[in-house]
């Protein structure tokens, strides 16, 4: 039905755009998927989407004996067509690396079953994952050879991966001493492993199992989970965010039961058992031809095979339970991400809406205070001062909320560059001095003339230092002190330290220190929202650095900002 509607849209869309949108809306309602008018218009404007396919990425996308492209990805693509009205045109199979180049160059529009990776975000955006598959270490089974099936990579041992796969970057970072050997695809990797040309390889569990069964490779086995999972979603053109919204709506419409059926179809649990039973039948026929003398041998062999079937069945049952656990975890993560996005959007909207009237409050308070024609008495001036103080405090809180929401959405710009950190630290200390004096705190900083270069964004560095100094003064004791120091610690590291002799933090409070909106049990009389240090941590990490904390309850705290050192320019 959807394809008939799409053909109708193609035929009449140029002359009757209203009819095209009406047909798409009817198709979406028929499948229980609510598309907005904007989304339906986008589909009408993009009648055909080019989808990458592969000849040998089974069980996700592969070419069968009849020349047809099949697999788990194709089932999902077909279902998305039915749900959304998108017309997905499967392009001729190509190697994975070639498909990635085509996506980068705009010759393809999307790819199914693709893992999100930083280097791919330059030209792709991603839906949430709809299936998760672990990456595993594979070795050749060699009877009687000691160490042939070791569960870990030996130091310096080469390991093979397929070209362009995301696990390559993980291996290079996790096992820097093990050189990578790049294979054209998983099928070639498994064949070279089975032939003894290579000693170790890494592939995802589903693809490796599928290829070993379909190609009859029996002397390769899984020996370990390497701690990396392919959380597979749909990669689509980064300049088409509307396509991502439509695809995600379609994926969300596919329930857990239907996803399980699709997974079971392409990652079946009884393939080994069926293969073993066929071997038993063939063996039994041969034994009968040889005569009664081989009956005892057949009986012993049959018992051994039964033991293998029982062991393999138990292993597959455990794999199924783990897969279901991962799917439940994916669903819970998706729900949490949705709630987090809603919270971030609300904070951003509320911050913008609150700042306008608050600026008006500050402006009119200043007009009252400075009105020469209507001078205020001492009591009125004191009340105006309270209004201004409360409004400025509220403005700081709103700015923190806006920074936090922009950090979480990824829209806050951070541009590290080499800079002399001395003037930045000096300026922050001078701005904090009035607050320290009002609180009865001795603020100490001994600047020097040495140029201290660090890699940082000057605006964001100042924001972090203001927050640390404000906390050091706020959570302190009258008559105590705050000390600031800055300088290189080692050739590649530049540190800024803010220490105080204040209240300090318990071990439990330190474990919760960077949780958003966690006030650490402090009373309502203490100002703050509980997001200042979260913003500091995220900004510092975006600049390539980190924050360290050392504190004891009642003994004060020391926050150390570690940044990358930079050469003088």
């Amino acid at each position: 039905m959807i394809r008939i509607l799409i053909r109708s849209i193609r035929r009449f869309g140029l002359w009757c755009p209203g009819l095209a949108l009406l047909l798409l809306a009817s198709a979406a309602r028929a499948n229980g998927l609510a598309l907005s008018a904007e989304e339906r218009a986008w589909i009408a404007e993009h009648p055909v989407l080019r989808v990458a396919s592969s000849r040998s990425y089974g069980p996700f996308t592969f070419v069968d004996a009849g020349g047809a492209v099949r697999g788990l990805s194709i089932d999902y693509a077909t279902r998305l067509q039915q749900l959304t009205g998108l017309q997905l045109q499967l392009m001729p199979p190509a190697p994975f690396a070639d498909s990635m180049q085509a996506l980068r160059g705009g010759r393809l529009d999307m790819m199914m079953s693709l893992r999100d990776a930083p280097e791919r975000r330059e030209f792709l955006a991603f839906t949430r994952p709809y299936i998760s598959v672990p990456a595993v270490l594979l070795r050749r089974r060699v009877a009687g050879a000691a160490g042939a099936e070791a569960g870990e990579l030996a130091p310096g041992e080469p390991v093979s991966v397929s070209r362009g796969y995301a696990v390559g970057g993980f291996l290079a970072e996790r096992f820097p001493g093990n050189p990578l050997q790049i294979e054209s695809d998983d099928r070639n990797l498994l064949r070279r492993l089975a032939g003894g040309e290579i000693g170790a390889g890494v592939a995802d569990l589903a693809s490796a199992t599928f290829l070993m069964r379909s190609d009859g490779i029996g002397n390769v086995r899984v020996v370990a989970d390497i701690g990396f999972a392919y959380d597979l979603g749909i990669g689509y053109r980064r300049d088409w965010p509307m396509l991502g919204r439509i695809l995600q709506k379609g994926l969300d419409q596919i329930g857990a039961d239907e996803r399980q059926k699709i997974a079971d179809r392409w990652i079946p649990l009884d393939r080994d058992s069926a293969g073993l039973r066929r071997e038993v039948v063939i063996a039994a026929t041969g034994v009968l031809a040889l005569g009664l003398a081989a009956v005892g041998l057949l009986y012993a062999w049959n018992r051994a095979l039964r033991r293998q079937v029982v062991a393999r069945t138990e292993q597959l049952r455990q794999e199924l339970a783990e897969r279901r656990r991962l799917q439940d975890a994916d669903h819970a993560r998706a729900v949490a991400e949705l709630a987090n996005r809603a919270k971030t959007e609300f904070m951003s909207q509320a911050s913008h809406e609150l700042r306008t009237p608050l600026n008006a409050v500050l402006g009119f308070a200043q007009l009252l205070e400075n009105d020469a024609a209507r001078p205020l008495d001492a009591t009125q001036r004191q009340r105006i001062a309270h209004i201004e103080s409360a409004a400025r405090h509220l403005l700081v809180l709103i700015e923190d909320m806006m920074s936090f929401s922009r950090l979480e959405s990824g829209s806050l710009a951070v541009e590290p560059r080499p800079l002399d950190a001395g003037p930045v630290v000096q300026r922050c200390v001078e701005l904090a001095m009035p607050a320290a004096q009002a609180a009865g705190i001795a603020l100490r900083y001994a600047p020097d003339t040495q140029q201290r270069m660090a890699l940082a964004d000057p605006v964001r560095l100042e924001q972090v230092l203001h927050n640390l100094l404000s906390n050091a003064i706020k959570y302190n004791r009258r008559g105590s002190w705050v000390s600031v120091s800055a300088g290189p610690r080692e050739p590649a590291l530049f540190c800024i330290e803010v220490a105080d002799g204040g209240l300090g933090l318990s071990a439990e409070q330190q474990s919760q220190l960077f949780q958003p909106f966690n006030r650490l049990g402090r009373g309502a009389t203490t100002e703050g929202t509980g997001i200042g240090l979260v913003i500091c941590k995220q900004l510092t990490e975006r600049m390539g650095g980190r924050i360290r904390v050392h504190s004891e309850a009642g003994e004060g705290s020391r926050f150390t900002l570690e940044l990358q050192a930079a050469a003088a320019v």
Side-chain angles (χ1 to χ4, degrees):
M1 176 182 175
I2 298 298
R3 292 181 179 175
I4 293 172
L5 291 174
I6 292 295
R7 284 198 293 269
S8 299
I9 290 170
R10 285 180 175 176
R11 174 176 293 180
F12 300 112
L14 291 175
W15 298 279
C16 305
L19 175 60
L21 294 178
L22 181 60
L23 289 170
L24 282 170
S26 300
R29 284 195 298 269
N31 288 283
L33 183 63
L35 294 178
S36 66
E38 186 182 12
E39 291 165 344
R40 295 195 296 270
W42 192 92
I43 295 174
E45 293 170 5
H46 301 80
V48 178
L49 300 176
R50 301 162 297 180
V51 184
S53 69
S54 173
R55 183 174 297 277
S56 59
Y57 187 37
F60 300 101
T61 311
F62 66 95
V63 177
D64 65 10
V69 180
R70 304 176 62 211
L72 182 145
S73 297
I74 307 305
D75 282 4
Y76 270 95
T78 301
R79 190 71 179 101
L80 286 172
Q81 281 196 145
Q82 297 168 351
L83 288 168
T84 63
L86 292 167
Q87 184 70 5
L88 305 182
Q89 180 182 357
L90 208 60
M91 304 305 290
F96 180 81
D98 293 350
S99 293
M100 294 303 294
Q101 287 299 321
L103 285 164
R104 182 186 292 273
R107 299 187 300 278
L108 290 174
D109 301 321
M110 54 184 282
M111 177 182 283
M112 306 293 296
S113 302
L114 186 64
R115 188 180 190 274
D116 187 356
E119 64 273 12
R120 297 173 183 169
R121 293 185 201 138
E122 298 175 8
F123 56 97
L124 291 176
F126 293 85
T127 66
R128 292 192 294 273
Y130 53 83
I131 190 168
S132 181
V133 181
V136 292
L137 179 64
L138 304 164
R139 290 191 183 277
R140 182 169 178 256
R141 190 197 303 268
V142 182
E149 298 177 10
E152 296 181 357
L153 287 170
E157 179 186 13
V159 57
S160 292
V161 294
S162 295
R163 184 183 307 278
Y165 283 16
V167 73
F170 170 81
L171 290 171
E173 181 178 348
R174 178 76 178 275
F175 305 101
N178 296 83
L180 293 182
Q181 295 178 337
I182 306 302
E183 308 295 338
S184 59
D185 54 35
D186 284 347
R187 175 171 274 114
N188 188 53
L189 184 152
L190 288 168
R191 288 177 176 175
R192 282 166 51 79
L193 191 61
E197 299 176 53
I198 56 178
V202 170
D204 75 78
L205 179 62
S207 295
T209 304
F210 179 87
L211 289 171
M212 284 190 286
R213 289 169 177 170
S214 62
D215 291 9
I217 299 175
N219 65 336
V220 173
R221 65 166 296 186
V222 175
V223 296
D225 184 335
I226 67 166
F228 179 91
Y230 282 92
D231 295 323
L232 304 178
I234 302 174
Y236 58 91
R237 288 176 51 160
R238 188 176 183 84
D239 57 340
W240 284 358
M242 186 63 69
L243 174 58
R245 283 171 48 181
I246 297 168
L247 290 172
Q248 191 59 61
K249 280 190 176 182
L251 287 174
D252 291 343
Q253 194 71 13
I254 303 174
D257 291 343
E258 186 175 357
R259 294 189 183 202
Q260 188 64 53
K261 288 179 182 178
I262 295 175
D264 289 343
R265 179 181 178 189
W266 296 106
I267 312 174
L269 297 180
D270 59 350
R271 291 278 300 275
D272 279 3
S273 301
L276 290 172
R277 287 195 292 270
R278 285 195 297 272
E279 291 177 14
V280 172
V281 172
I282 296 170
T285 304
V287 170
L288 288 174
L290 293 175
L292 295 177
V295 170
L297 178 62
L298 174 61
Y299 178 76
W301 186 30
N302 188 47
R303 289 191 61 185
L305 289 175
R306 286 182 181 277
R307 285 196 296 271
Q308 292 180 25
V309 169
V310 171
R312 181 56 178 159
T313 300
E314 179 60 28
Q315 181 182 355
L316 291 173
R317 187 179 293 110
Q318 293 174 1
E319 291 176 1
L320 176 60
E322 178 64 13
R323 188 183 305 132
R324 286 175 174 166
R325 185 189 67 79
L326 291 173
Q327 288 177 341
D328 290 340
D330 285 343
H331 177 70
R333 183 168 59 248
V335 171
E337 288 174 354
L338 184 62
N340 190 55
R341 280 199 302 275
K343 177 207 68 181
T344 301
E345 291 174 4
F346 170 78
M347 286 177 58
S348 178
Q349 196 97 7
S351 300
H352 282 289
E353 294 297 329
L354 288 171
R355 192 162 56 170
T356 300
L358 187 58
N359 284 328
V361 171
L362 277 169
F364 281 109
Q366 291 168 358
L367 286 174
L368 285 172
E369 185 178 17
N370 300 314
D371 190 348
R374 300 174 183 82
L376 303 178
D377 59 31
T379 301
Q380 290 171 329
R381 287 186 177 278
Q382 185 178 20
R383 291 170 180 171
I384 289 292
H386 285 310
I387 293 173
E388 288 184 339
S389 175
R392 292 187 187 282
H393 172 62
L394 187 54
L395 192 60
V396 170
L397 298 183
I398 291 172
E399 292 292 343
D400 279 351
M401 289 173 64
M402 289 184 65
S403 296
F404 182 67
S405 64
R406 291 173 62 196
L407 277 168
E408 289 211 327
S409 65
S411 62
L412 185 67
V414 179
E415 299 178 357
R417 64 174 185 267
L419 64 94
D420 184 2
V424 178
V425 178
Q426 178 72 37
R427 184 165 56 254
C428 292
V429 171
E430 290 172 355
L431 290 173
M433 190 66 72
Q437 291 172 350
I441 305 296
L443 178 55
R444 301 195 295 260
Y445 174 60
D448 55 46
T449 58
Q450 179 185 2
Q451 191 180 39
R452 299 184 291 269
M453 301 300 294
L455 190 65
D457 183 317
V459 175
R460 303 308 172 194
L461 176 59
E462 192 164 329
Q463 185 176 355
V464 171
L465 289 177
H466 278 317
N467 209 309
L468 293 179
L469 285 167
S470 174
N471 282 354
I473 295 169
K474 187 189 309 180
Y475 302 116
N476 212 320
R477 297 178 277 224
R478 179 168 289 276
S480 189
W481 53 269
V482 174
S483 174
V484 182
S485 62
R489 288 283 178 85
E490 53 186 75
L493 201 63
F494 183 89
C495 295
I496 302 172
E497 185 176 279
V498 178
D500 65 72
L503 304 178
L505 298 165
S506 66
E508 181 181 0
Q509 287 176 320
Q510 291 181 58
S511 68
Q512 304 169 9
L513 195 59
F514 296 106
Q515 296 176 2
F517 307 106
N518 192 330
R519 300 291 308 283
L520 304 180
R522 288 165 174 149
T525 56
T526 304
E527 297 178 349
T529 59
I531 60 174
L533 285 177
V534 179
I535 294 172
C536 289
K537 182 175 185 293
Q538 293 192 26
L539 286 176
T540 303
E541 291 174 351
R542 292 278 293 275
M543 290 189 291
R546 62 179 175 177
I547 290 182
R548 291 184 178 274
V549 182
H550 177 78
S551 182
E552 293 183 14
E555 299 296 329
S557 302
R558 183 172 67 252
F559 286 78
T560 304
L561 184 64
E562 296 182 350
L563 300 170
Q564 298 179 37
V569 293

